[in-house]
Amino acid sequence: MSSNPDSKRSPLGRRIHLDTATPLKISATARHTCRMCASGCRNYDIMLTEAEVRRLSLNIWRPLLHEVPETLPLVLFDNVTGQHLLNKVEGRCVFLDSDDLCIIHKSSGAEDKPVACQFFPLHAIGSPAGIHISLNTGCRRLVEMTDQDDPLSPADATRLLAQVEAITTIPDVMPLTPEQMIPYTEFVDWQNRLRDILTVPDANYWPRMQAAAELLLTIPGDSAPLEWTSLFAALHKLIGGLHPERPSAAVLFARTQRWLPALLTNPVPPEIPFAYGPFYAAIAGQYLEGHQAALHRTARTGWVALLAALVAGIGGTVHLMSNSPDATINIPHTLNNTLSDALELFFAPAGQLALTEPNQDAFLRGLLKS
Ligand code: SF4
């Protein structure tokens, strides 16, 4: 499952053939649980292996499908990524049934689903030290994960990875900024320092994000006289001018328009009426342990994206709560959805364009002073 159509062209991580003899680094809190909310079947483009393309393009599936036009291809080829993916109808995977369950899973078994679906909500990134497996921060039910959920066993990880053809992999040397290359060991050192700040589950998490901003500002940046809202303003403008071909991107853009404009005037709500620190600490831990900054243009871009998404999660949720027509809004789910959407936006090309170096610096300085 890919949340980042352009990841194979990222200078930080490139998709390369998977060597399954590589050591596995499974995050201790990565749970291999699916709440069957079907969000992944709507929000993601499911990339397929060649064997899956052959098997899932067959017309033998058609009698089982729910309201999929006869002429609609089940599998598409994406010119941007050079990969095949499952098609969608009105934002839903062609194999998603009317009861929100997977038709392949129901009729043929879980192990016949695309490996991307079997792997979800986990996420794998290769590095010189091994393959890092963490929770996909795009999952909409991370907020419900507890110690009661099953962790991924090394045997399951090995079985699933054996079906994967290529994986985004960090090289020995990578860009910290556009001007500065660093060895992998230094990248890990930065990540560990951020992890030590951001994985403490304080109920008031804001000072943790400010301490992280202070650390990132020690990396030489590009300090232009911009407002800290300029990052969100640039993102909003870019989204407004784009008409994505991919249905998943169009749905994401439409959904984020419900809260993104609110961040242009006031990214920090005056009062944050819910405890979110433990959830944020868990998300930051998965993102950093999983090396998910590798999906961005530079390492600092990835870390700023994490902080910006955390800010957007709070600001967006408070905005949605205050505009909810009734009191039935599920706050933890809304926070999870908003944060996951914000991270998706920053993984997407529009997010990468908005994360210019001056915008990054202005955002970090604004967060520090807020
Ligand atoms: S193949 Fe099944 S599990 Fe995968 S996205 Fe489609 S409906 Fe969901």
Side-chain angles (χ1 to χ4, degrees):
M1 203 170 287
S2 172
S3 58
N4 176 20
D6 279 354
S7 63
K8 71 176 192 169
R9 289 187 279 133
S10 158
L12 188 54
R14 291 182 187 280
R15 285 180 65 80
I16 63 172
H17 181 71
L18 180 68
D19 177 359
T20 47
T22 312
L24 296 182
K25 313 261 180 196
I26 303 177
S27 170
T29 51
R31 309 284 155 185
H32 196 202
T33 302
C34 182
R35 297 276 189 273
M36 295 197 280
C37 67
S39 292
C41 312
R42 296 190 186 92
N43 295 324
Y44 285 91
D45 294 318
I46 309 299
M47 303 297 184
L48 301 174
T49 65
E50 284 182 21
E52 289 164 355
V53 172
R54 286 193 295 276
R55 182 162 54 83
L56 298 175
S57 319
L58 297 174
N59 277 331
I60 54 169
W61 293 105
R62 290 204 178 262
L64 301 175
L65 303 185
H66 172 71
E67 292 187 4
V68 174
E70 275 299 317
T71 52
L72 190 88
L74 303 182
V75 171
L76 295 177
F77 181 74
D78 186 334
N79 289 318
V80 176
T81 61
Q83 286 183 277
H84 285 90
L85 58 145
L86 286 179
N87 207 348
K88 286 192 164 83
V89 177
E90 294 178 2
R92 297 165 60 90
C93 172
V94 286
F95 287 104
L96 189 60
D97 211 344
S98 53
D99 57 5
D100 274 355
L101 295 175
C102 174
I103 287 168
I104 305 170
H105 191 144
K106 287 197 291 188
S107 65
S108 192
E111 294 188 8
D112 278 345
K113 288 192 293 188
V115 66
C117 306
Q118 294 182 59
F119 208 63
F120 199 76
L122 293 161
H123 192 279
I125 300 243
S127 82
I131 297 173
H132 299 261
I133 299 178
S134 60
L135 282 168
N136 186 324
T137 50
C139 172
R140 311 295 151 138
R141 290 294 182 270
L142 293 180
V143 74
E144 293 175 1
M145 296 270 181
T146 70
D147 290 347
Q148 305 301 310
D149 292 295
D150 290 334
L152 179 71
S153 71
D156 266 349
T158 304
R159 177 182 64 79
L160 291 169
L161 287 170
Q163 300 169 57
V164 173
E165 286 173 345
I167 183 170
T168 300
T169 301
I170 304 173
D172 291 323
V173 178
M174 66 190 69
L176 176 66
T177 67
E179 286 79 34
Q180 189 182 357
M181 301 296 285
I182 55 170
Y184 172 71
T185 48
E186 195 175 325
F187 169 81
V188 172
D189 182 55
W190 278 105
Q191 290 229 127
N192 289 345
R193 291 161 74 189
L194 278 171
R195 187 197 59 199
D196 290 348
I197 294 169
L198 289 174
T199 57
V200 179
D202 289 344
N204 181 6
Y205 196 77
W206 203 265
R208 301 247 137 238
M209 295 197 287
Q210 290 179 313
E214 192 170 11
L215 176 64
L216 292 180
L217 280 168
T218 64
I219 301 172
D222 189 342
S223 177
L226 296 171
E227 297 294 322
W228 79 301
T229 52
S230 64
L231 171 57
F232 299 114
L235 186 57
H236 185 245
K237 191 171 171 195
L238 281 160
I239 288 176
L242 289 175
H243 303 285
E245 281 180 26
R246 284 187 170 208
S248 56
V251 170
L252 172 69
F253 286 7
R255 211 168 41 229
T256 52
Q257 289 293 10
R258 294 174 53 220
W259 50 262
L260 186 55
L263 304 184
L264 308 190
T265 49
N266 182 21
V268 191
E271 284 186 31
I272 299 165
F274 47 89
Y276 58 90
F279 174 54
Y280 269 29
I283 290 271
Q286 292 300 320
Y287 185 95
L288 295 169
E289 275 187 44
H291 290 28
Q292 294 183 29
L295 299 177
H296 294 269
R297 187 166 52 83
T298 70
R300 187 174 104 142
T301 304
W303 297 323
V304 174
L306 171 63
L307 286 182
L310 293 172
V311 168
I314 298 170
T317 300
V318 170
H319 176 74
L320 291 170
M321 284 166 61
S322 60
N323 287 280
S324 174
D326 53 41
T328 58
I329 189 167
N330 181 314
I331 296 171
H333 285 179
T334 305
L335 181 63
N336 196 151
N337 286 337
T338 313
L339 175 53
S340 293
D341 278 346
L343 281 162
E344 291 299 315
L345 271 185
F346 285 120
F347 289 139
Q352 302 289 310
L353 287 172
L355 281 160
T356 61
E357 271 59 38
N359 280 347
Q360 289 183 36
D361 258 72
F363 169 77
L364 292 172
R365 281 186 277 109
L367 176 56
L368 194 54
K369 287 187 197 147
S370 62

